[in-house]
Amino acid sequence: MKRSGRYTYLLGDTPRERARLAFQAKLWDPVSHALFDRIGVRRGWKVLEIGPGQGSLHLELRKRVKGPVDVVERSPVFAGRLARLCRRDGFGPDHVWQADLIDAPLPRATYDLIFIRWVFLFLPNPETHVKKLARALKPGGVLAIQDYHRETLAMVPRPEEWTRLVLADLAFFASQGGHASIGGYLPEMYRRAGLTVEDIGLTVKSGRPGSAVWTWLSTYFLGVLDRYTDFAPFTKLDAARLRRQWLAASRQKTSLLIGPALLDIIGRKPR
Ligand SMILES: C[S@@+](CC[C@H](N)C(=O)[O-])C[C@H]1O[C@@H](n2cnc3c(N)ncnc32)[C@H](O)[C@@H]1O
């Protein structure tokens, strides 16, 4: 398949990233299951998932439609693992485009539901992607994107370096044309793509040291801290100090981490 060659996916598919995604999915999958309930995903629906990663929600969608679910996944590692998992549930092989979404030759007016969690924040030209997905929906079909409104992210007590971390976080995603806080922009993009915005859901998770939320946020941010020093004004000294404070905060039972808010943006193509 032709590759766009314009875009590097920032987080890759290493064993460490796969373990991080699996942990994150355990924490967050119930929020997506509730979204599937609200949308009313049911047997026989034609569904497309973009960027399933470790695939827990993909298997859930297959279970709900009782059949295969089409996939666009750029990583051969994730796509290969998904194919192995799907051989076990008896719902048949998926149609898989192993490609960047922008290069996948999606059929027109085909899907009852297109679902995407944590992919849009990486994508350059998100509006072009929304329009592409809108074309692939059937009249009456639903586009459901779960992605971040990043601005709730906080550590309490707040380290002096936090504001520079937040700027580096935005710059990291922007380095490949993405937006770490894409969620809030999506409703207008839906409207410009001809979709009716039917619902915008919100979930914010927070946690103390020892909680799954603390582990989820610490694993990501301590894992990328050194890469973030490429993005001024966050410095190597900031990274070293913040890491020390983070580990010290982990030993204080009163510390608090507030995660980035997850928005569910649900839009429908007019009939
Ligand atoms: C952060 S992971 C999220 C995985 C999964 N959706 C979840 O919620 O756990 C992003 C996923 O999107 C895939 N991906 C990234 N950019 C993509 C693109 N342009 N087209 C298709 N898949 C992409 C990655 O390979 C990875 O599987």
Side-chain angles (χ1 to χ4, degrees):
M1 176 135 327
K2 184 174 138 313
R3 290 233 162 232
S4 65
R6 293 185 293 270
Y7 158 84
T8 301
Y9 173 58
L10 285 161
L11 300 183
D13 52 19
T14 59
R16 180 190 275 209
E17 172 61 5
R18 294 192 327 254
R20 188 190 72 81
L21 284 180
F23 186 89
Q24 177 173 252
K26 241 187 220 148
L27 183 64
W28 279 95
D29 280 3
V31 175
S32 304
H33 294 179
L35 170 67
F36 299 158
D37 290 343
R38 288 208 303 286
I39 295 170
V41 182
R42 59 178 183 273
R43 187 187 197 113
W45 270 25
K46 184 92 178 136
V47 176
L48 169 68
E49 186 183 10
I50 313 297
Q54 287 287 91
S56 57
L57 292 176
H58 193 76
L59 295 179
E60 177 67 23
L61 284 166
R62 285 168 59 92
K63 208 159 74 186
R64 289 181 185 231
V65 303
K66 305 225 174 327
V69 166
D70 290 355
V71 184
V72 181
E73 170 55 70
R74 80 189 309 264
S75 154
V77 174
F78 288 134
R81 180 187 137 85
L82 199 65
R84 286 193 297 282
L85 288 174
C86 291
R87 277 200 284 275
R88 294 189 204 142
D89 66 7
F91 295 127
D94 295 328
H95 187 99
V96 180
W97 290 278
Q98 200 231 297
D100 284 338
L101 172 57
I102 204 67
D103 297 326
L106 298 182
R108 284 175 176 260
T110 298
Y111 295 104
D112 298 292
L113 169 67
I114 302 178
F115 171 70
I116 312 155
R117 181 176 71 176
W118 294 320
V119 179
F120 258 80
L121 77 168
F122 297 97
L123 299 179
N125 308 313
E127 188 158 338
T128 307
H129 287 83
V130 169
K131 286 183 173 152
K132 175 168 185 156
L133 296 175
R135 281 193 295 275
L137 286 175
K138 277 181 189 162
V142 171
L143 176 61
I145 301 181
Q146 294 192 300
D147 225 311
Y148 289 130
H149 163 78
R150 205 79 165 182
E151 284 79 357
T152 53
L153 175 64
M155 180 183 278
V156 182
R158 185 183 177 99
E160 197 270 322
E161 298 77 11
W162 199 260
T163 301
R164 292 190 292 282
L165 172 76
V166 166
L167 291 172
D169 187 43
L170 283 169
F172 176 69
F173 286 88
S175 69
Q176 289 302 314
H179 197 309
S181 196
I182 189 69
Y185 296 96
L186 289 170
E188 278 310 310
M189 292 183 192
Y190 277 36
R191 288 190 184 107
R192 287 195 291 268
L195 303 177
T196 307
V197 176
E198 290 201 336
D199 194 17
I200 300 174
L202 167 77
T203 311
V204 184
K205 289 183 185 283
S206 62
R208 311 272 177 191
S211 67
V213 172
W214 189 278
T215 304
W216 162 56
L217 291 167
S218 302
T219 303
Y220 176 76
F221 283 100
L222 293 176
V224 290
L225 223 44
D226 291 336
R227 294 176 73 187
Y228 278 17
T229 62
D230 289 343
F231 301 98
F234 193 68
T235 64
K236 286 191 164 50
L237 186 59
D238 284 335
R241 285 186 173 151
L242 189 56
R243 186 181 300 279
R244 272 200 302 278
Q245 289 180 73
W246 203 301
L247 298 176
S250 304
R251 294 188 290 272
Q252 296 292 327
K253 67 177 192 311
T254 51
S255 305
L256 182 62
L257 276 172
I258 304 167
L262 188 73
L263 297 179
D264 311 333
I265 316 289
I266 306 177
R268 193 178 293 278
K269 187 166 177 171
R271 285 177 197 283

